Amino acid sequence: QVQLVESGGGSVQAGGSLRLSCAASGRTVSSYGMGWFRQAPGKEREFVAAIAFIGWIDGNTYYADSVKGRFTISRDNTKNTLTLQMNSLKPEDTAVYYCAASHRVAPLIAAGSYEYWGQGTQVTVSS
């Protein structure tokens, strides 16, 4: 019923930037949560960033400490696309990045809060 498709991944040098997008299709509601998670080889999936949309208005944003100040989560002007702007990328940011959506607006830092997941997009940061 809800489909999420990530794009924008690729390979960059340390210090570079990438912009990930997540296109959502299906049923839309006025209040929901969306987030980004990532998973590196041999590691568990970890929270990156999330945003709560309340009444079609951008609500609170949440960031993992490891990306705070470098990554920005937002919606683009189409309103149905989630964006993750990643600046000052580090090799430790290398992972498959997943977009997720939730019918709830909280809590959004836990993967279990999300019902829908994209297929992921690879981000590789070289030293």
Side-chain angles (χ1 to χ4, degrees):
Q1 190 170 8
V2 176
Q3 290 184 308
L4 305 173
V5 180
E6 302 96 336
S7 63
S11 299
V12 297
Q13 294 291 318
S17 298
L18 283 173
R19 190 179 193 187
L20 305 184
S21 295
C22 174
S25 62
R27 188 182 76 256
T28 59
V29 295
S30 61
S31 299
Y32 60 98
M34 296 191 73
W36 290 94
F37 290 76
R38 66 187 183 187
Q39 187 167 24
K43 300 182 67 176
E44 295 183 345
R45 187 169 299 185
E46 66 175 350
F47 169 77
V48 176
I51 184 169
F53 302 107
I54 309 298
W56 304 109
I57 300 175
D58 292 3
N60 294 333
T61 57
Y62 310 88
Y63 296 94
D65 289 341
S66 59
V67 307
K68 191 173 300 181
R70 299 187 297 120
F71 292 10
T72 302
I73 187 171
S74 64
R75 292 186 300 178
D76 68 11
N77 293 331
T78 68
K79 307 298 183 183
N80 68 339
T81 301
L82 183 72
T83 297
L84 183 68
Q85 178 65 47
M86 306 186 295
N87 298 326
S88 302
L89 284 163
K90 305 175 181 179
E92 48 263 46
D93 294 319
T94 296
V96 176
Y97 283 70
Y98 297 89
C99 175
S102 174
H103 292 303
R104 297 169 290 185
V105 296
L108 296 179
I109 63 173
S113 296
Y114 297 84
E115 294 85 15
Y116 308 99
W117 294 83
Q119 295 299 309
T121 185
Q122 177 70 48
V123 171
T124 302
V125 185
S126 301
S127 300

